[in-house]
Amino acid sequence: MPEVTIHIGGRGFDVSCRDGEEPFLHAAAKMLDDEAQVLSDQIGRMPEARMLLMAGLLLADKTAATEDKVKALEAKLAEAEAELQSLRNAPAPEPERIEVAVVPPSVTDTLAELAARAEALASVVEEKKAE
């Protein structure tokens, strides 16, 4: 079992941990040290046990607040997933029916005739313009 020295509130503590847990221990010690530093800046020097207790309580408070946020977000996520599932399971809506007027063939023929006349007139205008 490796023994690691961690520093909290400017004081060193020798702590044993399992192999491979050293980085986690150092990260946890840094969190506790950050809280101890805040206490030290606000209150000044205090007994070691009291400093560790107060820093631990501050961390516990932050952890509790974070857990509350996580629970609220998990509930919101579950609600959104349930809504998504209900939308997936809902029957597809009937497509909107749109009626389109049918153009009678006589109108199409008339338009084709008008287009032919317009092209003929355009040709005549171009011939006169070229003269």
Side-chain angles (χ1 to χ4, degrees):
M1 254 187 168
E3 191 161 303
V4 178
T5 301
I6 57 174
H7 297 279
I8 300 171
R11 299 174 185 135
F13 299 90
D14 293 325
V15 181
S16 296
C17 64
R18 293 185 183 141
D19 285 331
E21 290 184 348
E22 295 92 338
F24 302 110
L25 181 59
H26 283 290
K30 180 173 179 348
M31 291 171 64
L32 194 57
D33 183 47
D34 290 345
E35 294 302 324
Q37 189 60 48
V38 169
L39 287 170
S40 178
D41 291 346
Q42 290 176 353
I43 300 171
R45 196 103 172 120
M46 67 177 75
E48 178 180 292
R50 182 154 181 84
M51 178 200 52
L52 291 173
L53 172 67
M54 294 299 294
L57 287 173
L58 288 171
L59 280 176
D61 183 54
K62 285 183 179 180
T63 301
T66 301
E67 286 176 354
D68 289 346
K69 286 179 185 176
V70 167
K71 286 178 186 175
L73 289 172
E74 285 175 342
K76 200 172 190 179
L77 176 62
E79 185 180 309
E81 286 175 340
E83 184 179 351
L84 179 61
Q85 192 60 35
S86 69
L87 290 172
R88 284 184 178 152
N89 293 337
E94 284 291 321
E96 186 179 334
R97 188 170 182 91
I98 301 173
E99 293 187 25
V100 178
V102 177
V103 179
S106 61
V107 173
T108 322
D109 293 341
T110 303
L111 288 174
E113 186 179 322
L114 287 172
R117 283 184 190 174
E119 287 178 11
L121 285 172
S123 295
V124 170
V125 170
E126 284 183 16
E127 285 175 10
K128 288 192 178 195
K129 183 178 161 185
E131 293 174 1

